[in-house]
Amino acid sequence: MHRVKLHRQILTLIKKDISLEYKSLESLAGMVLFLLATVYTCFLTFKKMPTAEVWNALFWIIIIFSGFNAISGSFKNETGGKHFYLYFLINPKALILAKIIYNSFLMLTLSIIGLAVFALFLGTNVLEDINFLSFFIGLVLTSLGLSGILTIISAIASQLDFKGGIIAVLGLPLLFPLILISQKYSAQALSGVSASGNMNFLLGLLTLNVAVITLSYVLFPYLWRQ
Amino acid sequence: MAKNWWKIVGAILVIYATAFSFLRPLEPGIIQTDKTELVLGQNTFSVTGYNSHFVDYSSSLQGFLRVDSLRALPLTILDIKDNVHAEFSVNIPADIDKTVLDLFLSNDRTGSIFLPAAFRIDQSKGNPAASNEYTNVAFSSGEEISFEFPFQLRIFDTIRNLNFHVPMWFTMFVLMGLSLWYSIRYLNSDKIEYDLKAASSAKVALIFCSLGLITGSIWARFAWGDWWTTDAKLNGAAVSFLLLAAYFILRKSAEDKPNKAKIAAVYNILSFFMTMALIMVLPRLTGAASLHPGEDGNPAFSSYDLDSNLRMVFYPACAGWIITGIWIYNLHYRISNLKNTRS
Amino acid sequence: MNRIVILILLLLFTLHCQAQDGALEEYFFESGKIKVVIAVAVSIAIGMFAYLFRLDKKIKDLEKNKK
């Protein structure tokens, strides 16, 4: 089994995650519901429609917390008895890459749903000048970066006894650079700047993603082989 | 004793820098004037100087308001109260074409000292005199003093804080780098001593980080008016503090796990690179204006507007505090090592 | 120990509230803000001594275990 190529292993692991998710749809529904509830809270607490600046800030804060909610449990199936089974079968590098890819798709789905829910409750007047392609590229890259950081943090937290509180303490400060860049990038995209006109932030996001994923890729095997 | 020479060097450097920071005088300058708005015609105002020797060198005291690079309005001295307080009068002509004027004073001791944009002219008020001739803008240099701290507006004496506040951050960076180095070595070798070294240096880095935050906060309050400001450097400071603190919370909650040291090392490496991303890359990217010297989002300190005098104290202060930080780390490591071998 | 820290924080907070009146400004701005430098140097000294006390306590614990 060790001979199996890395990308085959990754594909198999992603398929496994998807089928697990599909079997228990309530966890996915829970994430979407969390998103809905937080956006509705914002809707309730704002008397009038927020400005583009506030809209942007709120959007990213809600996406971060949805990310924590969605990704924090991503290693719950890999600990315990199954862990030893997987330990012998699977290259840890395949496991982390598979998790990051799967989680980034999850994040992307959540943030697109988030965008729709935002438009529904907090109004579309902010989105009038938006450059959709540019905004979408930002969403994709941020989802990748978010899932890169949060996956390795949830791998760390999965080895601890009380996971609930600690993952936010460990993860939030690590997200500062990513969120700062993507918030600035999407503010530009909201005012209609195209992706090529926003190259500085785009390159920043890309570099950060490469750095985060490389770090996770290099460091995860140390967590896995106890 | 032969092995301890570096500790002595560190102590001497810190003592030298601290003593120098307090002993040497500040360059002369103008702190403020009692009014900021002048009307056309005759005006009187009083000036508060700093180290300005108004009385000591009263015979050579003179001043003007600079209109542009060539023309100036001469001041008449009304009264010299003491070395730092004096009263002047000036005649603003009706045909003045500038609304913001700089104040210049000079005497043989201080040379030219000035307050940029000291006055605004309200052209709708006052009754201007018939005529007033402009004089030329002229600068003079004072006596050469061997070492003086540069005079900067709003900063004044607190420029001395540079030798206390900034070395805290440099020491923190060195200790964080040390911590990263030992975390990597731990992952490669599995020797528990490296884990202890990484934790000890992170602990001392946290202490220096807190000191940097506290000193910076006090300085910011009295130079810029707020305890905390929105500034790229402060983001870096906040994230280093949060990540270092989170590292210890992680260590505490993983205390009874077999792979506690590995978890901690992985998190430490991750957090180091994210801190660096925030401090080194982001300010350059966003080009955020910084209140700190070394503008243009450039975090490198070569661009600090240090004059050569200040460097004579600043570099020894940094070196001294870094050595002291490493010494403290060494003590911390030896104690935690003793504790570890005993239990 | 914790109580002392909370007390100091509260004191600092009240100091901050009073600062609105400008009393703090007047005190610290006297003659070129030199008192700010002293406050900074003193806070470093306090930090260093607080650390010394902690170190002292740790060594005491070690000595206790030795017996």
Side-chain angles (χ1 to χ4, degrees):
Chain A
M1 193 68 181
H2 270 297
R3 302 276 176 275
V4 179
K5 287 222 173 70
L6 197 67
H7 67 269
R8 295 296 292 269
Q9 285 194 11
I10 293 172
L11 272 180
T12 322
L13 282 167
I14 293 175
K15 267 184 208 154
K16 182 213 81 174
D17 271 339
I18 292 173
S19 66
L20 272 179
E21 197 74 66
Y22 190 71
K23 262 182 212 160
S24 61
L25 270 175
E26 66 267 16
S27 75
L28 190 66
M31 294 166 203
V32 176
L33 216 57
F34 178 85
L35 200 60
L36 261 172
T38 38
V39 177
Y40 200 75
T41 315
C42 292
F43 168 69
L44 282 180
T45 45
F46 273 92
K47 293 280 188 299
K48 55 178 190 269
M49 291 303 158
T51 59
E53 212 171 71
V54 176
W55 191 98
N56 194 25
L58 269 180
F59 180 74
W60 287 113
I61 290 171
I62 287 174
I63 292 300
I64 291 177
F65 282 99
S66 305
F68 272 106
N69 198 32
I71 298 177
S72 61
S74 69
F75 281 89
K76 63 175 186 289
N77 294 322
E78 277 74 16
T79 43
K82 263 185 212 156
H83 176 214
F84 292 101
Y85 179 63
L86 277 170
Y87 174 79
F88 287 111
L89 285 185
I90 283 187
N91 185 347
K93 288 176 175 171
L95 182 61
I96 186 73
L97 285 182
K99 284 282 178 195
I100 288 176
I101 293 168
Y102 173 73
N103 281 334
S104 62
F105 275 110
L106 192 66
M107 272 317 299
L108 186 62
T109 320
L110 277 179
S111 43
I112 290 170
I113 296 173
L115 189 61
V117 176
F118 251 71
L120 180 65
F121 287 118
L122 296 178
T124 49
N125 51 345
V126 174
L127 303 174
E128 267 165 14
D129 308 324
I130 188 173
N131 185 323
F132 253 115
L133 181 69
S134 167
F135 194 82
F136 186 73
I137 293 171
L139 275 189
V140 172
L141 288 176
T142 313
S143 303
L144 196 60
L146 266 178
S147 95
I149 294 174
L150 290 178
T151 307
I152 184 97
I153 290 299
S154 77
I156 289 174
S158 72
Q159 317 236 339
L160 305 175
D161 287 333
F162 42 94
K163 292 145 196 164
I166 197 130
I167 194 160
V169 173
L170 298 181
L172 264 180
L174 286 179
L175 291 178
F176 280 6
L178 182 73
I179 286 310
L180 263 173
I181 299 183
S182 50
Q183 175 253 338
K184 291 210 161 81
Y185 175 85
S186 70
Q188 299 272 320
L190 276 179
S191 59
V193 180
S194 69
S196 56
N198 219 346
M199 221 26 150
N200 239 348
F201 291 128
L202 200 63
L203 282 179
L205 267 178
L206 265 176
T207 334
L208 205 60
N209 279 350
V210 170
V212 162
I213 291 167
T214 319
L215 274 174
S216 305
Y217 181 80
V218 173
L219 292 174
F220 181 72
Y222 293 105
L223 288 175
W224 192 244
R225 294 202 194 97
Q226 334 191 341
Chain B
M1 205 60 197
K3 268 172 126 181
N4 284 337
W5 63 270
W6 59 277
K7 298 171 189 170
I8 296 168
V9 169
I12 289 172
L13 286 175
V14 169
I15 291 167
Y16 158 79
T18 309
F20 239 67
S21 303
F22 278 110
L23 285 177
R24 299 314 301 167
L26 204 61
E27 271 171 13
I30 302 170
I31 291 184
Q32 61 185 19
T33 52
D34 65 337
K35 34 178 115 153
T36 53
E37 233 178 48
L38 298 182
V39 296
L40 299 180
Q42 204 66 27
N43 291 277
T44 60
F45 57 87
S46 71
V47 175
T48 310
Y50 188 85
N51 283 347
S52 47
H53 302 276
F54 288 152
V55 174
D56 303 344
Y57 291 81
S58 57
S59 57
S60 59
L61 181 65
Q62 51 185 323
F64 58 81
L65 296 184
R66 184 169 69 172
V67 181
D68 52 36
S69 58
L70 291 174
R71 291 174 304 154
L73 293 166
L75 299 182
T76 318
I77 304 166
L78 294 181
D79 184 20
I80 301 175
K81 294 201 179 80
D82 53 40
N83 266 334
V84 293
H85 291 97
E87 236 173 70
F88 298 92
S89 75
V90 66
N91 196 3
I92 309 276
D95 62 339
I96 189 145
D97 50 358
K98 281 276 168 62
T99 52
V100 178
L101 305 182
D102 309 322
L103 170 66
F104 279 77
L105 296 175
S106 71
N107 62 32
D108 286 346
R109 163 67 179 75
T110 62
S112 288
I113 55 179
F114 78 112
L115 184 67
F119 298 109
R120 282 192 317 110
I121 307 294
D122 191 344
Q123 274 159 326
S124 63
K125 284 185 196 152
N127 37 348
S131 72
N132 189 328
E133 66 270 30
Y134 291 101
T135 57
N136 291 331
V137 171
F139 302 110
S140 67
S141 52
E143 282 171 25
E144 279 296 318
I145 305 295
S146 62
F147 180 97
E148 285 174 322
F149 283 103
F151 183 90
Q152 283 176 23
L153 269 184
R154 287 188 304 170
I155 308 279
F156 306 140
D157 261 326
T158 62
I159 187 79
R160 301 161 197 268
N161 278 346
L162 191 80
N163 302 328
F164 298 110
H165 166 68
V166 184
M168 298 291 125
W169 293 114
F170 284 164
T171 313
M172 186 201 76
F173 281 128
V174 169
L175 288 166
M176 272 170 73
L178 209 63
S179 184
L180 171 81
W181 168 242
Y182 284 125
S183 283
I184 294 173
R185 290 198 70 176
Y186 174 75
L187 286 184
N188 285 334
S189 69
D190 251 339
K191 281 184 189 150
I192 198 70
E193 61 176 282
Y194 290 135
D195 177 56
L196 287 179
K197 279 182 178 173
S200 302
S201 52
K203 191 63 160 256
V204 182
L206 184 60
I207 293 169
F208 276 94
C209 182
S210 318
L211 285 176
L213 280 180
I214 293 169
T215 54
S217 201
I218 295 172
W219 193 2
R221 175 66 184 78
F222 296 106
W224 302 330
D226 273 310
W227 295 103
W228 192 270
T229 55
T230 49
D231 188 297
K233 285 209 169 58
L234 285 165
N235 285 340
V239 87
S240 341
F241 182 81
L242 289 175
L243 285 173
L244 282 170
Y247 173 71
F248 287 103
I249 288 172
L250 178 65
R251 285 189 77 88
K252 201 79 190 162
S253 61
E255 214 159 29
D256 47 352
K257 298 286 171 201
N259 59 343
K260 144 201 166 183
K262 256 181 191 163
I263 298 174
V266 165
Y267 187 71
N268 198 22
I269 295 170
L270 207 62
S271 64
F272 180 87
F273 283 105
M274 283 297 128
T275 315
M276 285 303 127
L278 196 69
I279 292 173
M280 297 294 173
V281 184
L282 256 171
R284 289 175 206 268
L285 200 67
T286 56
S290 175
L291 288 166
H292 282 87
E295 311 284 299
D296 314 324
N298 185 352
F301 86 103
S302 57
S303 60
Y304 269 46
D305 47 353
L306 297 176
D307 64 8
S308 56
N309 276 335
L310 202 46
R311 275 171 219 235
M312 296 277 292
V313 193
F314 180 66
Y315 290 154
C318 290
W321 279 108
I322 288 171
I323 293 172
T324 311
I326 290 172
W327 184 5
I328 296 175
Y329 142 73
N330 194 293
L331 291 179
H332 204 284
Y333 164 65
R334 273 148 65 190
I335 288 174
S336 56
N337 196 25
L338 271 180
K339 214 189 238 168
N340 194 52
T341 47
R342 221 167 273 285
S343 57
Chain C
M1 193 66 192
N2 278 337
R3 253 177 265 169
I4 296 171
V5 173
I6 291 170
L7 197 71
I8 291 171
L9 281 178
L10 277 175
L11 274 176
L12 278 177
F13 183 70
T14 48
L15 219 64
H16 180 209
C17 292
Q18 282 175 350
Q20 260 72 22
D21 309 332
L24 203 60
E25 253 87 353
E26 251 171 52
Y27 179 76
F28 274 104
F29 281 10
E30 191 187 307
S31 89
K33 305 187 184 181
I34 186 72
K35 281 172 180 167
V36 181
V37 189
I38 292 170
V40 163
V42 165
S43 61
I44 291 176
I46 290 173
M48 287 292 151
F49 278 108
Y51 177 74
L52 265 184
F53 272 109
R54 268 187 57 104
L55 216 61
D56 193 302
K57 208 171 147 265
K58 273 187 182 169
I59 293 171
K60 220 175 253 168
D61 287 349
L62 276 176
E63 284 169 343
K64 227 181 259 168
N65 283 343
K66 202 179 174 187
K67 276 170 195 167

